[in-house]
Amino acid sequence: MHTEKEIIFIAWESPEGGYEAHSPGHSIYTQADNFEELKAMVHDAVCCHFEEDERPRIIRLHQVLPPGDE
């Protein structure tokens, strides 16, 4: 069994309001009304996606500008 040490999420402000996040390389996507709630939703999504003994111990949330805002 191979356990990843960390997982990275890319987060951005949604055009409809709130925030969205996904993890490249995994089929994990979540959204929330504000950034603090998004952090909790990302943690919950990781817990749901991985079995406890395979779960990455480090979760990185990288916020980027939405397309067109560069």
Side-chain angles (χ1 to χ4, degrees), residues 39-59:
K39 290 192 275 187
M41 295 299 289
V42 163
H43 185 269
D44 187 55
V46 170
C47 289
C48 290
H49 188 79
F50 294 96
E51 295 292 330
E52 186 174 351
D53 60 339
E54 297 177 352
R55 193 174 302 146
R57 300 296 176 219
I58 299 170
I59 301 171

Side-chain angles (χ1 to χ4, degrees), residues 8 12-14 17 30 33 39 42 45 52-53 56 58 60 66:
I8 298 171
W12 63 95
E13 280 189 69
S14 175
T30 191
D33 291 332
K39 290 192 275 187
V42 163
E52 186 174 351
D53 60 339
I58 299 170
R60 296 196 188 273

